[in-house]
Amino acid sequence: MNEKILRIRHSFSHVLALAVKRLYKDVKLGIGPAIDNGFYYDFDFAQPLKEEELSKIEDEMRRIINSEQEFIGEEWEKEKARKYFFKLGEKFKVELIDDIQGDKVGIYKNGEFIDLCKGPHVKNTSELKKAAFKLSSIAGAYWKGSERNPMLTRIYGLAFENQKKLDEYIKFQEEAAKRDHRVLAKQLDLYSVNEYVGPGLILWHPNGATIRLEIENFWRERHLASGYKFVYTPHIGRDNLWKTSGHLGFYKDAMYSPMKIDEINYYIKPMNCPFHIQIYKSKTRSYRDLPLRWAELGTVYRFEKAGVLHGLLRVRGFTQDDAHIICSREQVEEEVERVLNFSLNIWDVFGFKDVKAYISTKPRDAIGDEELWHKAEKSLMLAVEKENLKYEIDEGGGAFYGPKIDLKIKDAIGREWQTTTIQFDFNMPERFQMEYSGSDGKLHRPYMIHRALLGSLERFFGILIENFAGAFPTWLSPVQVYVLNITSEQERYAKSIYDKLIENGIRTEVDFSTEPISGKIRAATLLKPPYILIVGKKEMEKNLISIKIRGNKNIYDIDLNDFISKIKEEIKTRKLTLSY
RNA sequence: GCCGACGUAGCUCAGCGGUAGAGCAAUCGCCUUGUAAGCGAUAGGUCAUCGGUUCGAAUCCGAUCGUCGGCUCCA
């Protein structure tokens, strides 16, 4: 965000605060910063605010802007500011002042409104006249972002330099809404969630399952080629396992209630790690066995709070493309580098070229000694640099049990998604006393790296739907070819084409209905298959086909065998673009 | 979990105190068609659930469940 728009947005938030102050006498103020698409301000209302009241507030904001108020920045003695806001009963402002270091605080005035603020602002509200804004929504937001604090009412506004930019933004949002995986899932019959089954639990319909199967096949193929081995583990485990792993201590809130069998509590797994570790511990391991790379499409269940569920992106039951790499100290760097490289190769196949890394380092309340962390962090940095990835470092942002790399990928319309995570775990090897005999004849504790590349199949599927806007590359398309006959005279011919495609392993549907061809094309097109084959009298006489290619290009008089060999090649090589 | 909005046919939505509606989809006819919607008919609903107010509730009120936009959290 550049300085100019920052000033504009931040000034809007003060105008909003003043408008609300004028309209609601006993309201108290939280904070009101500029954000990526505009601004917000947090309020403590005596009465709940209704959405329909926003237009009234907008009107008042326009009046304020048109009255050409000057923004005046001042520095006050902290004590003076404290007294001023205390007298007004602005308890949140007082709290902020108390948090500020030093003995001076920034103050901005516009009209009768005085706010604690560092700025920057425009010089005069008249500068906001040519800018465009719109109050967009009301939301609850915890004071200082903590669940333990009271919830304030946040009013969000969109704000841009001019109307054109605001319109562009709104248009972009509409474009994004069209790609919404929850909407496309209905249209393309991909998956559903169902009140009977339960919120956050995904039913994969045949079309969605087809895509998942293709992803899984690809995933397995690549893992085998990268030196991984596969394991399968149960869905539930006894309480002692989760006690040792520590999950019953720090993760219990996210776990489903136990079921009692023979007086022992069994828990549904929220993670796969403890099971993989038990496989490791099933025999004595030698340094010669390392590194071990064990992967599993492990289905886990986590009790996510009701308010956070979101389509495929946040669910309660999901399948992680999980793997654990267990290696020696000497192998750490190479293993991290391998995982990162492997991950980037996978993203490439799905067409995600713009990848950014985020490295999180040791937090204050970490376990594991300094040397362990240092070695791990260094290996993460080296790997990222070797791959020439753009990266940011989140200092102290790691989990208590180890540092990590997260990858974010950019989709077709520029949105970022968090996917791959590569995490060191110093906790589990310790808790489960994992060991191997080294060449020195002594027992050593291995390093354990936990990683998920796609994240979860559910979330990844959601990202894929939005990225391709439902128009999947051929290898992933649930229906790769739609065959349409123009009149019933070509029914047998169309059937013979359908049969041949099916024999060749191409996912094909055929529509024999006697609707006009334009109607059949429309119906088929809505399902977004890469290819629609159309056969009428002319094609049948010549024993050829016509093809309508997704994106609306038509080609005529094609030999079916040529088409089949081309599409098979396209599928086999997992091409992202269509062959014609 | 918290704040706000919303739940009417498979889907998209109208109706908002006085006997449940439309379009699409489905089914059955007719039509035999040349690149994004041919015509007609039929069927489909305890208006999320439970309770209250009322002579009368899809409509007003309350609770519960679910969905959506945020907050917190997160693969």
Side-chain angles (χ1 to χ4, degrees), chain A residues 535-548:
Chain A
V535 291
K537 199 172 171 193
K538 290 180 212 158
E539 285 81 2
M540 189 166 77
E541 277 165 3
K542 289 183 277 190
N543 198 27
L544 296 171
I545 55 172
S546 293
I547 312 174
K548 188 171 190 63

Side-chain angles (χ1 to χ4, degrees), chain A residues 367-478:
Chain A
I367 60 146
D369 64 53
E370 205 65 44
E371 208 259 324
L372 217 53
W373 277 85
H374 183 72
K375 172 98 182 153
E377 284 171 3
K378 203 179 133 214
S379 67
L380 295 178
M381 310 267 184
L382 277 174
V384 169
E385 271 159 26
K386 201 160 170 195
E387 291 296 333
N388 273 321
L389 273 184
K390 290 175 281 180
Y391 72 99
E392 279 176 27
I393 294 184
D394 182 1
E395 212 65 65
F400 72 89
Y401 51 80
K404 62 171 179 174
I405 301 179
D406 289 328
L407 297 186
K408 282 189 186 172
I409 57 171
K410 243 186 203 171
D411 75 4
I413 59 171
R415 295 173 300 177
E416 277 200 336
W417 304 88
Q418 212 253 284
T419 53
T420 303
T421 177
I422 304 169
Q423 302 192 359
F424 276 91
D425 194 326
F426 304 139
N427 191 35
M428 295 288 153
E430 201 66 35
R431 283 178 169 272
F432 283 104
Q433 299 288 299
M434 292 166 75
E435 285 164 344
Y436 67 91
S437 344
S439 55
D440 57 4
K442 290 181 186 152
L443 289 176
H444 298 267
R445 181 129 303 149
Y447 273 77
M448 185 165 101
I449 300 166
H450 169 104
R451 46 115 284 199
L453 304 186
L454 306 174
S456 76
L457 292 177
E458 284 74 10
R459 181 176 286 182
F460 178 60
F461 185 31
I463 295 170
L464 269 191
I465 296 168
E466 303 221 354
N467 179 62
F468 292 116
F472 297 100
T474 306
W475 73 280
L476 289 171
S477 287

Side-chain angles (χ1 to χ4, degrees), chain A residues 72-278:
Chain A
I72 302 161
E74 293 179 357
E75 264 201 342
W76 285 12
E77 293 296 326
K78 203 164 149 183
E79 205 36 47
K80 176 183 170 188
R82 196 181 190 285
K83 271 187 190 142
Y84 173 80
F85 287 106
F86 185 80
K87 215 167 135 191
L88 289 176
E90 294 284 3
K91 56 183 174 183
F92 300 111
K93 294 291 180 191
V94 171
E95 203 179 316
L96 289 174
I97 291 168
D98 289 341
D99 288 347
I100 292 172
Q101 305 289 317
D103 48 6
K104 295 245 171 35
V105 298
I107 293 289
Y108 265 87
K109 298 181 181 173
N110 59 299
E112 74 271 27
F113 181 54
I114 294 177
D115 200 4
L116 176 73
C117 177
K118 290 198 295 268
H121 286 286
V122 295
K123 288 202 172 65
N124 191 291
T125 58
S126 63
E127 290 175 51
L128 302 178
K129 283 187 200 170
K130 51 184 184 294
F133 82 100
K134 185 178 189 306
L135 295 185
S136 52
S137 61
I138 298 175
Y142 296 109
W143 169 238
K144 287 183 173 173
S146 170
E147 252 179 320
R148 290 186 299 271
N149 288 335
M151 179 159 273
L152 306 179
T153 303
R154 176 170 299 176
I155 300 178
Y156 280 98
L158 302 172
F160 289 86
E161 282 104 318
N162 50 51
Q163 190 62 41
K164 192 167 159 256
K165 286 205 169 152
L166 176 61
D167 290 345
E168 275 168 13
Y169 177 81
I170 291 170
K171 216 172 153 211
F172 176 81
Q173 291 302 308
E174 282 164 3
E175 177 58 32
K178 270 187 239 158
R179 292 168 173 262
D180 190 317
H181 69 280
R182 295 163 300 185
V183 177
L184 286 168
K186 269 182 195 154
Q187 205 177 315
L188 305 176
D189 198 11
L190 301 175
Y191 80 91
S192 62
V193 280
N194 176 302
E195 214 175 308
Y196 269 123
V197 176
L201 302 171
I202 304 300
L203 300 166
W204 295 71
H205 295 200
N207 285 344
T210 299
I211 294 172
R212 173 166 172 167
L213 195 64
E214 288 290 352
I215 296 169
E216 288 185 3
N217 289 342
F218 165 71
W219 185 90
R220 287 199 183 91
E221 183 188 306
R222 286 298 168 98
H223 276 74
L224 280 176
S226 295
Y228 283 81
K229 294 198 168 140
F230 298 123
V231 296
Y232 291 95
T233 62
H235 289 86
I236 58 173
R238 286 163 64 153
D239 53 6
N240 272 341
L241 179 74
W242 304 108
K243 259 181 218 157
T244 305
S245 71
H247 286 95
L248 284 182
F250 60 80
Y251 209 75
K252 195 167 188 220
D253 287 350
M255 290 170 72
Y256 277 90
S257 306
M259 51 197 116
K260 203 167 235 178
I261 304 162
D262 289 342
E263 293 305 304
I264 292 169
N265 280 331
Y266 283 72
Y267 287 85
I268 304 177
K269 66 174 169 185
M271 291 182 189
N272 305 300
C273 342
F275 296 95
H276 290 194
I277 290 168
Q278 291 313 303

Side-chain angles (χ1 to χ4, degrees), chain A residues 27-54:
Chain A
V27 72
K28 298 291 175 260
L29 301 178
I31 56 164
I35 52 173
D36 273 349
N37 58 7
F39 59 94
Y40 68 77
Y41 216 109
D42 287 344
F43 302 95
D44 189 11
F45 285 96
Q47 303 289 323
L49 186 69
K50 295 259 165 61
E51 215 150 270
E52 64 225 35
E53 294 172 67
L54 288 182

